[in-house]
């Protein structure tokens, strides 16, 4: 079905509950608009009610027994097939992602490729879901552990990596034998729909993956409080994460929350400065700064601070901001008007706090930018560690430079924050690199590399307020979250 919105024909997409297409909820539909051109409605999706979500959870519960009874190797085959389907659509998916979220086409291509790899990885991991054999005190007892699925898993995801994040949750959940109800962010439902469509085309049984769209406060809330849900994996804001945490403590279900970051890049006097400038530029302004692992604090030793800033400003001046589909564009729009206003309000706060604006700070309004949420890449210097712009997550293209005397002060400033997701250091000294690895409080540490950019085959998760739940995402560790261990004593 298509509807005419503005000057575009736009498709109305369904939710998927128990393998069936659910066209519109009692609340009607909502529009998914392009942040680079707000006149373009990319897609229209149902605004489901709690009653609809309950049906999705019921169908996941019903599908569980049969799905869990398959061998993990059999389940993995569906994931590999879905990966192949997505691979055949990779360019179309990348274009959808850019139109829906705003990131550049190259960034979208990389994210789509990563999602495909994640599905392949967990598909193959079907043959590696194993327990452990341990010698028993009794010679005639076989003592071993088995892995069993949890049941129904609620998966709630943000808009900023709208294909990679759902993939790194859905794929390990399924291969472990769980059934899923997945709610994408309302800014980016179409790319999420395409994942579920690929799984359906791969022949996954009805009810195993259900796809529900609508408001966080309604659809998301039901996915959290429904007592048929056995586990929740959520990535999003610390505020919503806090609500889920309160609930999880009361209900005793397994919960994993990946929340915000305020990631530091430390630049020492012995760093390769050109390299540091390039990496900090990419980590701060790539993905328009809307990455949970984006560098938002550059902590630079006095000795090289001026030189670093000059080079950085020169580099950042060359960033072309525009529609992510256009050639040569290095930074797309921010995702929405609300987010843009929040970022601009932080620029005001920074100025009022006495930080010095080195470059940027404004909305772009030329003809090319008139229909989207485009901001200048923004850098503050003379930022002190206690300023709001150095403490709070801005989630946009704004970098704060903090000057420090030496390495020890750099580590102290890096750690003096409630977040602890990703951190990096630029140095040519191996001892300094190791000391940083040991002392920095972050779940991901990088040396001479940007704070952004994650490989799927290793665990990912933060320290402190950045994460909640002991089991990290991605890598083989993800299988620990989506399964429980049963210990077996088999006497013979
Ligand atoms: P958000 O507002 O918390 O939304 C995340 C998801 O939760 C969306 O699907 C949203 O639905 C849903 N939601 C909203 N309110 C809810 C509620 N009361 N109950 C249940 N679900 C609810 O976050 P966002 O603005 O999309 O994403 C940006 C945030 O995500 C940033 O803080 C960023 O740091 C964080 N993030 C963290 C990581 C990580 O791995 N640590 C990765 C990426 C992003 P609607 O879209 O319908 O509102
Ligand atoms: Mg959108």
């Amino acid at each position: 079905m298509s509807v005419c919105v503005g000057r575009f024909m736009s498709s109305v997409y369904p939710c998927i509950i128990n393998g069936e297409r659910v066209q519109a909820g009692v609340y009607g539909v909502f529009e998914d608009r392009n942040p680079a051109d707000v006149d373009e409605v990319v897609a229209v999706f149902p605004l489901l009610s709690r009653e609809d979500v309950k049906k999705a959870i019921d169908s996941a519960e019903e599908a569980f027994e049969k799905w869990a009874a398959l061998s993990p190797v059999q389940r993995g085959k569906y994931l590999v097939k879905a990966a192949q389907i997505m691979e055949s659509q990779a360019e179309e998916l990348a274009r959808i992602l850019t139109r829906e979220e705003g990131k550049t086409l190259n960034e979208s291509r990389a994210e789509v490729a990563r999602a495909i790899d994640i599905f392949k990885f967990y598909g193959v991991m079907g043959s590696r879901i194993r327990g452990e054999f341990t010698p028993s005190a009794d010679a005639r007892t076989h003592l071993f552990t088995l892995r069993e699925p949890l049941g129904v898993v609620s998966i709630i995801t943000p808009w900023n990596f709208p294909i990679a994040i759902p993939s790194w949750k859905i794929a390990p959940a399924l291969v472990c034998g769980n059934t899923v109800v997945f709610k994408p962010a309302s800014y980016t439902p179409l790319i999420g729909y395409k994942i579920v469509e690929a799984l359906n085309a791969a022949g996954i049984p009805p009810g195993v993956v259900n796809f529900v769209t609508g408001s966080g406060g309604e659809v998301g809330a039901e996915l959290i409080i429904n007592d048929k849900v056995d586990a929740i994996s959520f990535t999003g804001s610390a505020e919503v994460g806090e609500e889920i945490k309160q609930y999880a403590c009361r209900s005793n279900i397994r919960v994993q929350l990946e929340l915000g970051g305020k990631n530091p890049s430390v630049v020492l006097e012995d760093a390769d400065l050109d390299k540091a400038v390039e990496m900090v530029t990419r980590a701060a302004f790539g993905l328009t700064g809307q990455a949970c692992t984006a560098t938002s604090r550059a902590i630079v030793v006095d000795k090289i601070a001026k030189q670093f800033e000059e080079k950085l400003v020169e580099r950042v001046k060359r960033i072309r901001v525009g529609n992510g589909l256009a050639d040569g564009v290095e930074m797309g729009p921010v995702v929405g008007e609300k987010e843009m206003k929040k970022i601009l309000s932080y620029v005001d706060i920074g100025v009022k706090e006495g930080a010095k604006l080195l470059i940027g700070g404004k909305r772009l309004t030329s003809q090319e930018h008139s229909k989207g949420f485009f901001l200048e890449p923004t850098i503050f210097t003379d930022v002190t560690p206690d300023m709001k712009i150095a403490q709070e997550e801005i989630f946009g293209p704004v970098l704060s430079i903090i000057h420090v005397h030496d390495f020890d002060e750099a580590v102290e400033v890096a750690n003096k924050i409630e977040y602890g997701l990703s951190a990096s250091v630029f140095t040519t000294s191996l001892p300094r690199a190791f000391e940083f690895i040991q002392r920095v409080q972050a779940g991901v540490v990088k040396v001479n590399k940007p704070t952004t950019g994650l490989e799927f085959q290793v665990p990912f998760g933060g320290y402190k307020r950045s994460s909640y739940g002991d089991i990290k995402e991605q890598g083989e560790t993800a299988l620990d979250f989506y399964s429980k261990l049963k210990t077996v004593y088999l006497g013979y």
Side-chain angles (χ1 to χ4, degrees), residues 156-161 165 168 183-187 214-217 219-221 224 234-241 243-244 258-261 291-292 339 393 395 421 460 466-467 473:
I156 305 175
T157 55
W159 43 263
N160 65 333
F161 288 101
I165 293 177
W168 80 53
K183 182 213 169 315
S186 297
Y187 277 128
S215 87
V219 171
I224 291 162
F234 169 88
T235 299
S237 61
E239 294 69 38
V240 177
E243 280 177 40
I244 301 177
E258 291 302 337
L259 310 170
C292 51
E339 287 71 12
E393 187 184 48
F395 220 60
L421 194 56
F460 168 59
S466 290
S467 293
E473 298 203 87

Side-chain angles (χ1 to χ4, degrees), residues 130-134 143-147 485-488:
R130 45 187 197 255
E132 208 173 11
F133 180 86
T134 302
L143 182 55
F144 60 98
T145 53
L146 290 177
R147 273 186 193 278
L485 284 177
K486 179 176 273 176
T487 309
V488 183

Side-chain angles (χ1 to χ4, degrees), residues 445-463:
V445 186
K446 298 198 180 185
V447 177
N448 297 320
K449 291 176 83 74
T451 52
T452 48
L454 301 169
E455 297 198 35
F456 61 83
Q457 68 274 33
V458 284
F460 168 59
Y463 287 3

Side-chain angles (χ1 to χ4, degrees), residues 167-241:
S167 297
W168 80 53
K169 295 181 192 291
I170 293 172
L174 291 178
V175 80
C176 286
N178 304 284
T179 54
V180 164
V181 184
F182 161 42
K183 182 213 169 315
S186 297
Y187 277 128
T188 53
L190 183 52
I191 195 75
Y193 174 79
K194 295 302 257 184
I195 302 174
V196 179
E197 191 185 57
L199 283 162
N200 280 340
I204 205 149
V208 171
V209 184
N210 301 276
F211 175 75
V212 292
T213 56
S215 87
E218 180 99 2
V219 171
E222 185 62 34
L223 286 176
I224 291 162
I225 62 158
N226 191 295
D227 58 16
K228 291 181 178 168
V229 168
D230 299 289
I232 301 168
S233 184
F234 169 88
T235 299
S237 61
E239 294 69 38
V240 177

